[in-house]
Amino acid sequence: MAKTTILSLLSLGMLVCSAPQTETACRVEQLLDKMTLTEKIGQMAQLTIEPFVIADGTGGFTLDTALLREAVVEYGVGSLLNVPLSESQPAEVWGPFIGELQRIATDETRLGIPLIYGVDQVHGGTYSLGSTLFPQQIALAATWNPAHARRMGEITAYEMRACNIPWNFAPILDLGADPRFPRQYEGFGEDPYLGSVLGRELVKGQEGDDNDVNHPEHVATCLKHFLGYSVPASGKDRTPANIPWNALMEYHLPAFREALDAGAHSVMVNSGIIDNEPVHASRRILTGLLRDELGFAGVVVTDYEDLEKLHARDRLAATSKDAICLGINAGIDMAMIPIDYRGFCRDLCSLAEEGAVPMKRIDEAVRRILKLKFELGLFERPNTLPADYPRYGCKEHRQASYAAAAEAITLLKNDGGLLPLDPAAGRKILVCGPNAQSRRALCGGWTVTWQGHGIERHPELCKTLAEALGERFGRRNVEVIPGVSYDAHESRYDTERRDRFDEAAEAARRADVVVLCLGENSYCEKPGDLNDLALDPLQTELAERIAATGKPVVLVLSEGRPRLISKFSAKIPAIVQSYLPGPQGADAVADVLTGKVNPSGKLPYTYPAFPNSLAVYYHKYADEQRNTDATYKYEGDYNPEFVFGHGLSYTAFAYSGAKLTHEGDEIVIKADITNTGDRAGQEVVQLYSRDLYASLIPDVKRLRRFEKIALKPGQTRTVEFRITKEDLAFYNLENERIAEPGEFLFEIGASSADIRATLPFKL
């Protein structure tokens, strides 16, 4: 095909660009002027790779180049996503595979516009075999250490570029305020401020401090899922939510606002419905809020097949064509179609020709997409080569994953000082429960495969808890009997079955200590929906049988959301939450149990005790009413299993010298923290504010600042927090953010309930 090279075309156009425009803007406009309507609409189309891949029967694949050429050359499709064969591929496969896709796009199309390829590398190398997998984001949140989010971002970006992939559908900034939600583990927990701090670091880790995503070790991020995705009324994925606008702004927006301020290049839209309006059709959210108020100038992409769902699921649009019209006019730039590109391109072309979707809106979307491709450097360097990334999956990167996992492990209960266990004591240990020998249970979804079951085919990537404990305590001292097991290779998560159940209960009687490994199997998105937040009945029965033996029990939880354990938790002296710690998690848990690592994780959510008591820590006063009337017994209980911010240590910390001063417009709060124990340890010092009275019912308290510090035995350190008036503001019923005069309390403590000092303040 005869073709004018894009670089020549653009270099000519540079001569006529107006002075105020940046070089990238000039290049975008010159290219946009040369594009046909078909080429423009093709850039707005994103397809999944699966239809273009042909399995060869030996674990490999070939490309259906005829079909690919139709999509990319004839229809001008500008973006692809997902992984060949729906399973993780090594860098040496990814590199040339995407290289061939880029060759077709750049050599065989009229304008030579490169593709942009995106994947969900949400906890490290989800789909990059042999790369570094980290703990899931909920575990990163439990570290309360922003450095781990930054490091995960840096390593993820490096190893994505090693695979020739420049666009990551991460981080996930959805507020984890409902423990029933199947994607809770993908986010940073229930607190807006904690999520904001960690989300910013994860963006900067991937994009760099200057957001120079053309750097060969940086990628463009995509914030998910704008906005209000994670609190559907049913607790089930992609079902309707009821969120007042001021609540959306107060709790759900802050993490996204912070990440946008950090320079994130793209945003993915909430697949759900808020107040009877699908977010993919909400011009108020996608244009009024995101564009006009927040000033976002990057790319907005749909989630999987979500324009079509406006028609097929929500019945908001009578036809697929009407659905496309609604979504594009609401503010969508790129549609994750993901298969029927012919129908999408035909319908959007017709809508543009009819004037139902203005050409201004088409040009606006394509301009943003081209800008992203230029900023990624894809026109000059459409490919990055695996050979240029020698640290792919290296020991240093795996150590960073271990460090994050070890800092995330949260000691929830340790009655009688049962932990740590001395490996030299020679005690006989029974390791049981379905999670003792499950790799899936440590890693969660988005691990090798979408539902996470693929990790079981790669034992070289992940040690089990039973293996790690056998190494620490000696295999002759460790007996492994599951009692309950999962079907390891079934993609569904709810596959518990009895497996030597009575034998496990009997073995507990002859053990000195039982390590009971419970929680969840891996799942992801809609397949992870549940009807009962209580731990699986078989696991609960096993726990009760083991506890009834009277032997000391250490409960190790690995789970994507806090499953209810109140039926038996009072009988368990030691409880450890590992969340989804990733492939290095077994070693991290074992090192905490033996005392090699002093636990320092803190809960990033409220751990509920009962299915009807799911309030977050920043609930309203009415959620915990006390009886005030002799006739009518009005009471309300806030009764979680464990409170937000809770986590124990093998040492102890004393708080003293708390004081509040003013420096200009800043409120300065200081406290001295002393390690009063005999072990080095880390403490997360948490600062909360309480608005005693307000024109809108205030939250009981809100986290405002935190700092994680390391202290040697006997060491004291002064922690300082700075607060402004803006930190104490809230959104009122008129959706205005205001800071009202009044009385406040600042609380400094080790958790949201373990308050060590209270300081009054008047605004």
Side-chain angles (χ1 to χ4, degrees):
M1 173 187 299
K3 178 179 73 174
T4 302
T5 67
I6 194 68
L7 291 177
S8 298
L9 190 69
L10 294 177
S11 61
L12 288 173
M14 293 290 288
L15 299 176
V16 296
C17 280
S18 58
Q21 288 184 296
T22 65
E23 179 181 343
T24 297
C26 288
R27 298 176 74 185
V28 167
E29 293 306 318
Q30 291 302 315
L31 180 54
L32 190 64
D33 286 346
K34 303 295 182 182
M35 295 175 71
T36 65
L37 178 59
T38 296
E39 289 167 334
K40 290 177 180 179
I41 288 171
Q43 289 298 306
M44 298 172 68
Q46 185 181 60
L47 307 179
T48 186
I49 195 62
E50 284 94 332
F52 305 102
V53 169
I54 304 169
D56 64 11
T58 66
F61 63 90
T62 57
L63 269 173
D64 184 341
T65 53
L67 186 62
L68 184 68
R69 285 188 172 92
E70 180 190 68
V72 175
V73 179
E74 181 179 343
Y75 283 84
V77 167
S79 183
L80 294 166
L81 80 153
N82 280 340
V83 58
L85 304 182
S86 300
E87 184 153 341
S88 185
Q89 301 294 329
E92 55 267 26
V93 170
W94 272 118
F97 164 68
I98 293 181
E100 176 60 12
L101 302 178
Q102 294 289 27
R103 187 197 65 76
I104 292 172
T106 57
D107 291 354
E108 298 186 23
T109 62
R110 185 177 74 92
L111 295 175
I113 301 173
L115 295 164
I116 180 169
Y117 204 104
V119 291
D120 298 89
Q121 305 277 54
V122 301
H123 66 121
T126 297
Y127 290 138
S128 300
L129 195 62
S131 69
T132 307
L133 281 161
F134 276 79
Q136 296 278 359
Q137 278 188 205
I138 195 64
L140 281 188
T143 71
W144 290 60
N145 187 343
H148 290 302
R150 171 69 73 118
R151 191 66 179 130
M152 183 174 95
E154 292 169 346
I155 291 172
T156 299
Y158 178 94
E159 296 188 352
M160 284 185 66
R161 284 294 198 165
C163 294
N164 205 5
I165 304 169
W167 192 16
N168 192 13
F169 300 140
I172 297 91
L173 301 179
D174 304 314
L175 187 73
D178 189 333
R180 301 171 300 169
F181 191 59
R183 306 190 71 171
Q184 203 219 36
Y185 69 86
E186 295 181 51
F188 289 124
E190 73 182 38
D191 184 71
Y193 178 70
L194 180 61
S196 298
V197 172
L198 297 175
R200 180 181 185 87
E201 291 304 304
L202 199 43
V203 168
K204 288 300 188 183
Q206 293 179 82
E207 295 204 356
D209 283 325
D210 298 324
N211 301 94
D212 51 339
V213 293
N214 65 331
H215 189 288
E217 294 182 8
H218 298 163
V219 297
T221 57
C222 185
L223 311 180
K224 301 192 305 191
H225 304 82
F226 196 83
L227 182 67
Y229 176 46
S230 52
V231 289
S234 69
K236 296 182 178 181
D237 189 22
R238 292 168 165 86
T239 58
N242 301 301
I243 312 173
W245 189 263
N246 68 315
L248 198 65
M249 299 299 98
E250 182 71 31
Y251 306 112
H252 297 266
L253 182 62
F256 283 94
R257 185 193 296 273
E258 188 70 21
L260 291 172
D261 288 346
H265 275 72
S266 60
V267 165
M268 187 179 292
V269 181
N270 170 7
S271 293
I273 301 161
I274 298 176
D275 298 339
N276 211 32
E277 180 184 47
V279 180
H280 278 78
S282 177
R283 184 170 176 82
R284 183 186 187 189
I285 291 176
L286 299 182
T287 297
L289 174 61
L290 183 58
R291 301 296 190 187
D292 299 341
E293 183 175 336
L294 298 177
F296 179 60
V299 172
V300 173
V301 61
T302 75
D303 207 336
Y304 202 84
E305 204 178 20
D306 276 339
L307 286 188
E308 175 60 20
K309 286 187 174 72
L310 299 178
H311 162 61
R313 181 192 70 185
D314 299 328
R315 311 301 174 91
L316 187 69
T319 66
S320 297
K321 181 178 177 181
D322 292 340
I324 293 168
C325 185
L326 283 172
I328 300 300
N329 281 335
I332 299 295
D333 298 320
M334 181 183 289
M336 193 183 291
I337 297 170
I339 294 173
D340 183 16
Y341 56 90
R342 300 182 186 97
F344 173 84
C345 293
R346 179 194 63 241
D347 286 345
L348 185 51
C349 185
S350 294
L351 289 165
E353 290 171 343
E354 295 161 5
V357 175
M359 276 306 305
K360 179 181 178 181
R361 175 77 268 273
I362 299 289
D363 286 347
E364 181 181 61
V366 177
R367 185 177 289 115
R368 293 169 182 153
I369 294 164
L370 294 177
K371 179 173 179 281
L372 177 57
K373 291 184 176 186
F374 276 115
E375 288 176 337
L376 282 165
L378 295 176
F379 285 89
E380 292 76 22
R381 188 190 64 247
N383 298 295
T384 47
L385 306 177
D388 295 332
Y389 297 84
R391 291 183 288 116
Y392 179 85
C394 69
K395 183 178 180 180
E396 174 197 347
H397 289 181
R398 293 195 303 274
Q399 179 59 33
S401 174
Y402 168 84
E407 239 180 90
I409 307 301
T410 305
L411 181 59
L412 297 176
K413 185 178 180 183
N414 194 23
D415 288 356
L418 176 58
L419 293 175
L421 302 173
D422 182 1
R427 284 181 286 193
K428 299 298 182 182
I429 296 175
L430 171 66
V431 179
C432 61
N435 292 14
Q437 294 174 287
S438 172
R439 294 172 176 84
R440 296 176 60 175
L442 293 173
C443 297
W446 300 113
T447 304
V448 180
T449 54
W450 180 41
Q451 293 301 310
H453 59 296
I455 189 66
E456 298 292 353
R457 292 191 282 275
H458 296 279
E460 75 282 1
L461 299 179
C462 181
K463 198 178 293 182
T464 67
L465 287 169
E467 290 168 343
L469 292 169
E471 292 172 359
R472 300 320 189 270
F473 293 99
R475 288 181 174 82
R476 70 181 181 277
N477 295 320
V478 174
E479 187 173 16
V480 182
I481 303 175
V484 176
S485 289
Y486 305 120
D487 184 337
H489 301 292
E490 167 62 54
S491 64
R492 289 177 48 223
Y493 78 94
D494 52 345
T495 61
E496 283 92 340
R497 57 180 172 80
R498 293 177 185 271
D499 186 357
R500 303 165 65 190
F501 189 94
D502 292 333
E503 189 179 343
E506 184 58 34
R509 298 184 184 280
R510 60 178 181 266
D512 297 314
V513 178
V514 179
V515 178
L516 179 60
C517 306
L518 304 180
E520 291 188 307
N521 200 359
S522 67
Y523 54 85
C524 191
E525 299 191 45
K526 190 70 178 172
D529 283 349
L530 50 68
N531 294 316
D532 187 353
L533 189 58
L535 193 65
D536 172 78
L538 273 182
Q539 294 193 49
T540 297
E541 184 183 351
L542 179 63
E544 291 173 331
R545 284 282 296 275
I546 296 295
T549 66
K551 293 301 179 75
V553 179
V554 178
L555 172 61
V556 176
L557 296 167
S558 49
E559 54 189 3
R561 55 197 156 194
R563 302 297 292 268
L564 307 183
I565 58 174
S566 55
K567 288 184 178 180
F568 59 85
S569 59
K571 306 169 188 175
I572 306 293
I575 302 176
V576 174
Q577 174 63 288
S578 73
Y579 312 93
L580 295 173
Q584 312 304 318
D587 282 329
V589 169
D591 287 343
V592 166
L593 297 190
T594 60
K596 182 179 178 180
V597 170
N598 191 350
S600 64
K602 300 277 188 175
L603 282 175
Y605 50 63
T606 302
Y607 201 120
F610 306 104
N612 263 22
S613 296
L614 304 181
V616 293
Y617 85 88
Y618 46 88
H619 54 273
K620 303 301 180 181
Y621 287 91
D623 284 313
E624 48 180 302
Q625 294 180 51
R626 297 293 177 263
N627 182 35
T628 58
D629 188 279
T631 304
Y632 297 102
K633 306 298 184 182
Y634 287 142
E635 294 189 7
D637 291 332
Y638 175 63
N639 50 2
E641 188 81 48
F642 301 105
V643 300
F644 175 83
H646 171 69
L648 304 175
S649 172
Y650 295 150
T651 190
F653 300 95
Y655 289 55
S656 62
K659 59 183 180 180
L660 183 153
T661 59
H662 296 269
E663 292 185 12
D665 293 332
E666 291 186 318
I667 308 158
V668 181
I669 298 166
K670 296 181 181 181
D672 296 330
I673 317 298
T674 302
N675 182 344
T676 59
D678 58 3
R679 290 173 178 261
Q682 296 186 84
E683 172 72 324
V684 179
V685 185
Q686 302 164 40
L687 176 68
Y688 296 88
S689 72
R690 301 184 65 170
D691 190 347
L692 299 186
Y693 298 93
S695 60
L696 186 67
I697 296 174
D699 297 326
V700 168
K701 63 180 62 182
R702 290 288 295 275
L703 179 71
R704 298 305 183 189
R705 297 288 186 272
F706 64 88
E707 185 175 354
K708 191 166 195 175
I709 59 174
L711 294 173
K712 298 175 182 178
Q715 183 181 4
T716 298
R717 180 174 164 185
T718 300
V719 173
E720 176 181 295
F721 300 115
R722 291 179 176 265
I723 298 291
T724 67
K725 177 181 176 180
E726 177 62 21
D727 293 310
L728 303 176
F730 63 91
Y731 283 90
N732 64 17
L733 292 178
E734 286 70 46
N735 303 320
E736 302 164 329
R737 186 161 175 80
I738 60 171
E740 291 183 335
E743 296 180 346
F744 293 80
L745 294 178
F746 286 110
E747 299 179 334
I748 306 170
S751 78
S752 59
D754 184 5
I755 301 303
R756 309 294 184 87
T758 301
L759 300 168
F761 172 74
K762 191 168 185 178
L763 183 63

